Amino acid sequence: QVQLVESGGGLVQAGGSLRLSCAASGRTSSSVYMGWFRQAPGKEREFVAAISWNRGRTYYADSVKGRFTISKDNAKNTVALQMNSLKPEETGVYYCAANAGTGYATAGGYDYWGQGTQVTVSS
């Protein structure tokens, strides 16, 4: 089993920045990707960014390219998401996820999820 705990959420004005962190514990060696998803009120959970655990290759949703950066520290089993130029429509609960498959952009491809951290962007 893998346990994931997110932190770093909060309230920020439009155009501001936040850095989210995800701490993983348990047997994480079988994970292929670590990903970030978000879910706004009344909407489906959507892909934000992912990183391959071994190679460090990054993937982003088109809507966040150039503004968000995902990174990892294998030794500490942590993943971070730096979010810049935040928009009000990006308000929601942000989740960290881990999987042992080959996919990265679909929520159903992930096996483990954190409890989420709230991000609120005001205008």
Side-chain angles (χ1 to χ4, degrees):
Q1 296 290 331
V2 175
Q3 296 82 46
L4 304 171
V5 180
E6 304 95 335
S7 63
L11 175 65
V12 64
Q13 290 186 331
S17 299
L18 283 175
R19 185 176 188 271
L20 307 181
S21 294
C22 175
S25 61
R27 300 191 66 84
T28 60
S29 60
S30 62
S31 295
V32 178
Y33 296 102
M34 298 291 291
W36 285 96
F37 288 74
R38 67 188 175 201
Q39 188 165 23
K43 294 188 176 182
E44 297 180 351
R45 189 170 300 186
E46 65 177 352
F47 169 74
V48 176
I51 187 166
S52 62
W53 194 243
N54 293 326
R55 296 276 291 176
R57 188 158 185 160
T58 58
Y59 309 87
Y60 297 94
D62 288 342
S63 63
V64 307
K65 287 181 179 178
R67 297 187 297 116
F68 290 13
T69 302
I70 188 171
S71 60
K72 66 180 179 69
D73 186 332
N74 295 62
K76 296 181 178 180
N77 283 337
T78 58
V79 178
L81 182 69
Q82 178 66 45
M83 306 186 294
N84 298 327
S85 301
L86 282 161
K87 305 173 182 179
E89 58 264 35
E90 293 175 321
T91 291
V93 178
Y94 283 67
Y95 297 90
C96 178
N99 81 307
T102 58
Y104 59 86
T106 303
Y110 288 80
D111 301 307
Y112 306 100
W113 295 84
Q115 294 297 306
T117 185
Q118 176 70 42
V119 171
T120 302
V121 185
S122 63
S123 60

